Amino acid sequence: MAGIKRKEYPQMGGSVRGSAKKVKTELRKKVRPITPPSDLEAQTDSDPIVESDTTEHSGDDDGVSWPSNDEEDVGPTIKNGTKDVGNGVKLSNHPTSLGEVAAPENGSNGSHNPIASKEAHAKQKAVAQERKAAKPNADSIARAKKLWERLRIQSKVPLEERKQLIAELFDIITGRVKDFVLKHDSGRVIQTALKYGNLDQRKMIARELKGEYRFLAESRYAKFMIGKLLVHGDDEIRDLVIPEFYGHVRRMIKHPEAAWILDDVYRGAATPKQKAILLREWYGAEFAIFRSEKDYKPQSDLKVLLTEHPEKRAPIMRSLFELINQLVQKKTIAFSMLHDAMLQYYLNVMSGSEEATEFVELLKGDEEGDLLKNLAFTKSGSRVVSLALAYSSAKDRKLILKTYKNTIETLAFDTHGHQVLLAAYDVIDDTVLTAKSIFGEFPTKELKQSESGQHADLFTYVTNLNARIPILYLFVSKPSSILPAEDIGLLKEIHSIRSTTSKKDPDTRRRELAKALSPGLLSYIASNSETLVQNSFGCQFVSEILISADGDKSEALGAIANLTEGNGETPDYLQAPAASRMLKALAIGGRFNPKTKAIDLADPPLKFNDMLYNKLGSHIVAWMTGANAFVIVGLLESVDFSHKAELKALIQKNRKELQKFVEETEGLVKDTKAKEEKPMEAGKKGTRLLLKMVEH
């Protein structure tokens, strides 16, 4: 084929390729004339009505005027490829790039007639005004917007003036709410009316919009008005709005605008009955179509529904999973309603079944981990993640835990997120992995003096109602002392599952995790003892860690004992009930076991009782008659206290003084205020108990 010469076509006034180039060049030259600068300015002029900077751009053509048929012949004339714009200036009629203005051909500096430009501006403004005035309710909207501009600045409008402005505003919008609410600017007017109007005025707006709420929820701007209605309204308004969503939940939850307002309504405004009706629609079309308004107790618990109608299990589960999957694939994963639906699905699949495997794969399938992260911060979502950890294999548990990298601190402080950490503690057998993944993000490592700023972060953990739980959970003997009822119920459920999915002994797992966490906590107590003891949560933290932690505790115990040293008065923070309980627990050296009715001593023994006795010295007599009398009782109750006989002799020596204190306190307690009564009463009871203990 190499020897065959390609066939050539006869010449036709030039090559075909050259001819094509010529045609393209000629087409480029045939472009519309360039608009002179004055016309450009006029066409991009803004609306003469000045709006607040908070008003979003509507996308309408307001402020841009297109010439009418009568205006098309008016303007500069074109002669010989140039355009005469007046004042002796001519513009070339050659094409320019987008946004460029052709330079004048007469050699001038490009200036134009300012009078002509000003006239064009005025003309364009007039046309824009005429167009706006021709729209429906234009005058009413303009008046309402002027009132809104005044009302929206709350700090600058006196109360009486605001009432007058609101009355004028409602005179304008009454009977026209539907016309106002769908526009971005006038919709804000209605929201302001809802905010400052009284309840009757709000109900008037709600009644005018009856029958339109589903469509309003799908509007880019009007959806916010539904939120305002529910926030500022009452039960009557709520019961007007929410029932209009019935039968449309599956459509709305997939709508880019309606989904957000539907979830807000479900999470924050709906009653339990209304929430049940909305959630049932996820189970299939029949729950949206066939429903009884007289059913005052609709059932949204999927387990109950499947028990009553086992023949419907396959279509219900398929419908529910399909809707869940659609939302997950669209990345609309932050909805509480979605998390509730996912929990209902996961609770009703068999462990190890194809449905369960498919669901876990859906959780893991999000490469960014956004689904698992969003789930952890809602009530139902955190339960889903915790159950997934409990049921999954070791490999899947590792993958799930890895998803929360750099999110551990946020989880710890969250009401629901900390439950995921507790579940990880109790089911993951690889304690090295758990310690590295979770404890590595706690500010609990042994720190140098230059890094002591991190200790403040740990103090926020210790004193936070949620964040202290992941810290103390591994050390407390009675979890109910720190856990809310919701956590206890979830952990019972997880413990029943882990017996078949985890291999390591629970006590062994807990000891290994506590050993990994202990060094940093003991170091923190040693360097921040005074700060901790001044807080009730800090006192509980100190006693639990020093009794149960693994490692050298001498430095931390010495720091606590040093706080009691001194010849002056005992600091107020040491006389607080929480501090007194902490010192007594450390003095006893363990915890009381209600089953055996005995003290379970720390291993190895703390020996804090001897340290405390030596630090108190002669000051101990004052403690016998004060708020810390029970601390001295703890010393006598301690089984390994080496100065017990010496202490009893000291009590006997001061018996008259102690007896006098008890008698005097009997009369004072009745005459003192409530704040002073508790310490005095505690001191009286403790002193009386000391006297009884030395009688035997």
Side-chain angles (χ1 to χ4, degrees), residues 217-220 223 251-262 327 330 332 335:
E218 296 176 355
S219 169
R220 182 179 178 185
K223 66 179 180 182
R251 167 190 166 89
M252 293 178 69
I253 199 64
K254 293 184 284 187
H255 192 280
E257 305 295 343
W260 295 99
I261 194 65
L262 175 64
L327 296 179
K330 289 171 63 178
T332 51
F335 300 140

Side-chain angles (χ1 to χ4, degrees), residues 137 139-141 143-144 147 151 162-177 180 189-190 193 197-198 201 204-205 208:
N137 299 307
D139 181 57
S140 300
I141 291 175
R143 288 164 51 210
L147 294 173
L151 279 168
R162 181 180 295 114
K163 289 181 179 179
Q164 183 179 355
L165 292 173
I166 285 292
E168 293 179 22
L169 182 58
F170 271 92
D171 288 340
I172 296 172
I173 66 175
T174 300
R176 304 172 181 170
V177 175
F180 275 66
V189 174
I190 302 299
N198 57 41
Q201 291 170 329
M204 180 275 292
I205 293 176
E208 281 201 30

Side-chain angles (χ1 to χ4, degrees), residues 308-320:
E308 294 175 353
H309 306 285
E311 73 283 358
K312 296 181 180 179
R313 186 184 190 283
I316 288 176
M317 298 296 282
R318 182 173 60 252
S319 174
L320 180 55

Side-chain angles (χ1 to χ4, degrees), residues 60-97:
D60 297 335
D61 58 353
D62 293 354
V64 180
S65 177
W66 303 104
S68 62
N69 294 333
D70 297 335
E71 295 169 347
E72 289 179 353
D73 296 333
V74 180
T77 58
I78 301 176
K79 294 182 180 180
N80 300 326
T82 62
K83 182 183 291 187
D84 187 359
V85 297
N87 201 28
V89 178
K90 295 182 179 181
L91 296 178
S92 172
N93 193 29
H94 294 300
T96 60
S97 62

Side-chain angles (χ1 to χ4, degrees), residues 141-153:
I141 291 175
R143 288 164 51 210
K145 283 172 65 177
K146 288 180 180 179
L147 294 173
W148 170 72
E149 283 289 347
R150 181 67 176 152
L151 279 168
R152 71 187 186 88
I153 308 176

Side-chain angles (χ1 to χ4, degrees), residues 564-616:
T564 65
E565 187 178 18
N567 298 322
E569 294 184 358
T570 305
D572 290 340
Y573 62 82
L574 284 180
Q575 300 183 50
S580 182
R581 287 193 298 270
M582 175 198 72
L583 292 171
K584 182 182 178 183
L586 296 177
I588 293 175
R591 301 187 184 92
F592 178 75
N593 189 330
K595 294 181 179 179
T596 61
K597 305 296 182 181
I599 301 295
D600 292 336
L601 296 177
D603 185 22
L606 297 181
K607 288 294 182 180
F608 179 77
N609 41 29
D610 292 335
M611 297 171 65
L612 178 62
Y613 183 78
N614 293 330
K615 291 293 181 182
L616 287 175

